Amino acid sequence: MARVAFPRNTAISAAFRGDAHGDMRLIEGYLFRQLLAPTVAAAVALGAVALLSQSLSSLDLMVDQRQNVLVFMRIVLLTMPQLLSMVLPIAVFVAALIALNRLHIEQEIVICFAAGMSRWRVISPAVKLATLAVLLTLAVNLWVQPWCAREMRQELFRIRTDLAAALVKPGEFTQPTPGLTVYVQQAEQGGVLHNLFIYQEQPGGASTTYTARRGIITKRHGQPVLVMRNGSNEGYNSAGVLNYLAFDEYTLELGPYLKSEDQLHYKTADRYLHELVHPDLTQLWEQRNRRQMLAEAHYRLSSPLYSLTCMALALWAVLGGSFSRLGYGRRVARAALLAVVIRIVGFGVQAACSSSEELNVLQYVVPVLPTLMAAVAVFRNGPRAASLRRGRRRRRRGAAQLAGARP
């Protein structure tokens, strides 16, 4: 039996040295770790970029709504699960290209083939990693993302209906409701206000003006109130008589002025799968958005498949052709272009499904079909298939030479 010559200074050659049929599971574990590390690194890097982008778009919570840093970070972190289904396939694709290209150029994969490992055993660690990414994304889509979206919706509703934010804007005269005009020179977090001016109209033509150095918005007996300190009020009754009063503390009831008709409503992205598939059709909103909810349900189930698609394209880019020491720039570029096009088409199909339920099947076809085509290309260009093609070419050349030699 001929000995297989392995290149030195490679982890796989060390495992195989002395026994060409070494522990295959050990090699598969090594290949899996080589793929897992860059995948985690790429996911963290892309997640950090997405986190930065989301934080920049949420800065108005601190600027306009005067919320503290903890509320700001809570809102930003609650949006991360929704971005995971978009980030993880990209991370899998980038990490697989980096790891597989390095293993192929350093002849680690060549050693595996030379030692008798089948093409499936070589790529099975990559398939296992992509399957883990699919299961993780599916779990996030079905349970984690709806829960986080609901928590974020509740937090945003609380911020939007915050009394201090709705009542005042520092340095501006605001009229939160007819009959009430408010000016505050400075507002702090927690509802603490400085240098207040309030003009209150009353029935019958009477009016009252309040000025105070300090105030705070709080609740008493479940009702919103404004507690003003170190101030005075001046009021004209319906007869035109002026009344003046200086006070150390005065409580102004805000309930009649801050009645809000807003109600917390969960949007499509905030609902669980069973709520999307079986909505309450007695509600008008569910009736109008039935197709959109069904499209969201199919997207939750189909979007994890893009991790398999990206891994299949990465395998095709590196293993879908002959070995080259110079790298696979063209194949990698084609695979990257295909991955971008497939993902864009997926978004377009999802949008189209909001108007036609019959198109929902395309949400599965878009990721599955390229995956199957890339898998066929990978196995079609395997070592055994390549040797069979070379044998057929030699036989055809031999037959052509024999036919040309005949008189």
Side-chain angles (χ1 to χ4, degrees):
M1 175 179 175
R3 295 180 60 114
V4 180
F6 298 115
R8 297 181 179 181
N9 301 324
T10 61
I12 293 181
S13 62
F16 277 123
R17 191 169 291 124
D19 182 8
H21 301 282
D23 191 354
M24 299 297 180
R25 292 185 179 180
L26 178 65
I27 304 305
E28 291 179 8
Y30 169 78
L31 295 175
F32 182 83
R33 290 191 298 272
Q34 294 300 308
L35 289 166
L36 179 62
T39 300
V40 174
V44 171
L46 292 173
V49 174
L51 183 64
L52 177 61
S53 175
Q54 188 64 35
S55 63
L56 292 177
S57 63
S58 301
L59 281 177
D60 61 328
L61 294 176
M62 298 185 66
V63 178
D64 297 336
Q65 303 293 336
R66 300 186 301 278
Q67 300 297 316
N68 56 41
V69 178
L70 294 179
V71 173
F72 170 74
M73 292 303 301
R74 174 179 168 82
I75 294 296
V76 171
L77 291 177
L78 286 175
T79 61
M80 289 304 298
Q82 192 172 6
L83 300 174
L84 182 63
S85 61
M86 298 176 58
V87 170
L88 196 54
I90 301 174
V92 168
F93 181 72
V94 173
L97 282 178
I98 294 174
L100 291 172
N101 190 53
R102 181 184 62 79
L103 289 171
H104 210 40
I105 291 178
E106 293 180 358
Q107 300 186 25
E108 302 271 15
I109 296 179
V110 175
I111 295 172
C112 294
F113 290 143
M117 291 184 67
S118 65
R119 176 148 291 217
W120 167 248
R121 300 204 68 168
V122 172
I123 69 173
S124 61
V127 177
K128 292 178 182 177
L129 179 61
T131 304
L132 289 177
V134 169
L135 296 177
L136 176 61
T137 308
L138 184 62
V140 170
N141 286 354
L142 297 184
W143 295 288
V144 180
Q145 186 261 327
W147 181 83
C148 291
R150 285 171 179 254
E151 291 293 318
M152 183 182 67
R153 193 70 59 193
Q154 294 173 4
E155 190 70 21
L156 292 176
F157 181 79
R158 183 193 66 80
I159 293 173
R160 189 172 62 252
T161 57
D162 182 67
L163 294 178
L167 185 65
V168 299
K169 291 184 178 180
E172 298 181 13
F173 284 91
T174 61
Q175 193 173 17
T177 185
L180 185 68
T181 303
V182 180
Y183 174 84
V184 174
Q185 185 180 32
Q186 182 181 0
E188 297 179 356
Q189 295 178 356
V192 180
L193 312 174
H194 296 277
N195 297 329
L196 292 82
F197 172 86
I198 300 176
Y199 177 76
Q200 179 185 26
E201 295 181 358
Q202 297 176 349
S207 63
T208 304
T209 302
Y210 299 91
T211 58
R213 291 189 176 182
R214 189 171 180 269
I216 184 171
I217 297 178
T218 183
K219 286 189 176 182
R220 290 184 179 177
H221 307 292
Q223 297 297 322
V225 296
L226 173 61
V227 180
M228 294 178 285
R229 296 185 176 91
N230 300 327
S232 64
N233 66 349
E234 300 175 356
Y236 288 92
N237 58 22
S238 57
V241 178
L242 173 65
N243 296 315
Y244 176 82
L245 175 66
F247 57 81
D248 292 330
E249 180 176 303
Y250 184 86
T251 301
L252 177 64
E253 298 286 342
L254 297 177
Y257 301 100
L258 295 176
K259 292 182 179 180
S260 176
E261 298 180 356
D262 294 340
Q263 295 182 353
L264 179 61
H265 175 74
Y266 292 123
K267 297 183 179 180
T268 303
D270 309 335
R271 298 172 184 259
Y272 290 96
L273 184 65
H274 68 277
E275 297 174 331
L276 296 172
V277 177
H278 302 289
D280 184 7
L281 297 180
T282 60
Q283 303 294 327
L284 182 60
W285 188 90
E286 279 78 0
Q287 295 177 11
R288 293 178 176 177
N289 296 273
R290 175 72 179 90
R291 293 178 178 175
Q292 182 180 353
M293 297 172 68
L294 189 60
E296 175 69 18
H298 286 286
Y299 173 78
R300 300 267 186 93
L301 296 173
S302 62
S303 61
L305 297 175
Y306 286 97
S307 294
L308 274 176
T309 304
C310 290
M311 181 61 77
L313 291 175
L315 290 170
W316 169 72
V318 178
L319 302 178
S322 58
F323 174 77
S324 174
R325 292 180 178 272
L326 301 178
Y328 311 94
R330 292 184 178 179
R331 292 209 301 260
V332 168
R334 288 197 295 266
L337 180 60
L338 283 175
V340 172
V341 170
I342 291 170
R343 200 63 190 91
I344 293 175
V345 171
F347 287 129
V349 169
Q350 181 193 2
C353 291
S354 300
S355 58
S356 177
E357 297 182 10
E358 291 76 12
L359 295 177
N360 281 308
V361 66
L362 295 180
Q363 295 203 59
Y364 302 92
V365 172
V366 171
V368 170
L369 184 60
T371 303
L372 296 177
M373 295 176 65
V376 170
V378 169
F379 285 98
R380 182 181 177 183
N381 293 281
R384 183 177 179 181
S387 62
L388 291 175
R389 287 196 297 271
R390 287 194 296 269
R392 287 195 296 267
R393 286 195 296 267
R394 285 196 297 268
R395 287 194 295 271
R396 284 197 296 267
R397 286 197 298 267
Q401 292 174 0
L402 182 61
R406 292 177 179 176

